[in-house]
Every structure is written in C-alpha cells, then in structure tokens.
Amino acid sequence: MKKLNCILLIDDDESTNRFHEIIIKQINLTDTVVKAKNGKGALDVLTNPKNSIEPDLIFLDLNMPVMDGFRFIELYTGTKNFKEKRPKIVVLSTSLIDEEKEKIESNDEIDMFLNKPLTKKRIANLMTNFWQ
C-alpha cells in the first residue's frame, strides 16, 4: 500500500479522531496525522503559512459545531493550496439524511463517502481506488 505524506482528520468527536488515527498508524499509511475538531480549525491549520501541512487525504465529518463539513469544503476548495495539491476528500458519517446525500453526490470536490468508523478494509479499498 502506498504511504501518504499526511492525512487530516476533521471530526468534533475526539475519540473518533483518536480511533481513526490508531487504525491509520497500524497499517502504516502515513507518519503524519493531523487532527482538527471542526472545519474552522482545519481551515486555520491548512491556510496558516507557518504550517507545512499538505495532506494527501482528508477524512471529513459533516455535522460539527463552529463550521460544518460542507462549509469547510466550500471555503477550502477555493484556496490556492487546495487547487495546487488537490488532496482527496472523503466524507465520513454514521448516518445521512437525504438532503446530505444529494449534496455529497452533487459536489465534485468530494471524492468518496464512507460510513464511520474507518476500518482497515475500508482504507485498503479507498487506497486501491485512488492510488493504484
């Protein structure tokens, strides 16, 4: 499996971020996992010139306080950083309402949707889809 430069986990549930980080490290997918509790925190990290965060892959929850996943996508995909690096954006959710499904399907910047939690098998399938 190809090793990625960096993975960004965006979820307001700290235990979910931690669990996903453990799974990612167990399969040695990357040495660098960055976590944010909401879209604003992620955007701050990604657009701060003092950071050198350039994720290949972003796992994104939709329903978060402060800034939800859809607003994050709207703002981040307009940045120079996104346009130059074009990381894969994978939405993670435990459940979706019909309106969210429609928004995901109609958004060209979202590369994939997966149900939470991440598993080694889901990550392996994702890697096969994008990096093989």
Side-chain angles (χ1 to χ4, degrees):
M1 188 179 312
K2 175 185 166 74
K3 193 163 186 173
L4 301 181
N5 172 52
C6 176
I7 294 174
L8 175 59
L9 300 173
I10 309 171
D11 197 310
D12 60 316
D13 183 51
E14 195 170 317
S15 61
T16 297
N17 272 342
R18 182 70 185 127
F19 176 77
H20 289 163
E21 180 181 27
I22 290 168
I23 295 290
I24 289 164
K25 297 269 177 145
Q26 283 178 345
I27 60 175
N28 199 28
L29 187 56
T30 186
D31 291 328
T32 307
V33 176
V34 177
K35 297 176 279 189
K37 291 185 177 185
N38 57 57
K40 183 180 181 328
L43 206 54
D44 290 347
V45 167
L46 289 165
T47 59
N48 184 337
K50 294 180 182 179
N51 292 329
S52 58
I53 303 300
E54 295 181 354
D56 297 314
L57 178 59
I58 298 172
F59 287 113
L60 176 66
D61 185 28
L62 292 178
N63 299 308
M64 298 175 287
V66 183
M67 182 186 292
D68 70 17
F70 288 117
R71 182 71 175 144
F72 166 79
I73 291 170
E74 179 184 332
L75 295 175
Y76 179 56
T77 57
T79 67
K80 180 181 176 186
N81 185 358
F82 175 81
K83 291 175 182 174
E84 287 178 358
K85 306 298 179 190
R86 189 48 178 103
K88 301 294 183 194
I89 298 176
V90 177
V91 168
L92 297 176
S93 185
T94 51
S95 62
L96 287 179
I97 59 173
D98 289 340
E99 179 183 322
E100 289 174 333
K101 286 180 188 177
E102 291 171 14
K103 284 178 84 170
I104 289 170
E105 291 169 359
S106 67
N107 190 318
D108 293 336
E109 308 302 349
I110 298 173
D111 296 291
M112 183 179 277
F113 167 80
L114 293 174
N115 287 310
K116 287 184 194 178
L118 282 176
T119 63
K120 293 175 185 178
K121 184 175 181 173
R122 286 182 182 145
I123 292 173
N125 289 340
L126 177 146
M127 294 301 293
T128 300
N129 282 341
F130 294 135
W131 284 284
Q132 283 191 354

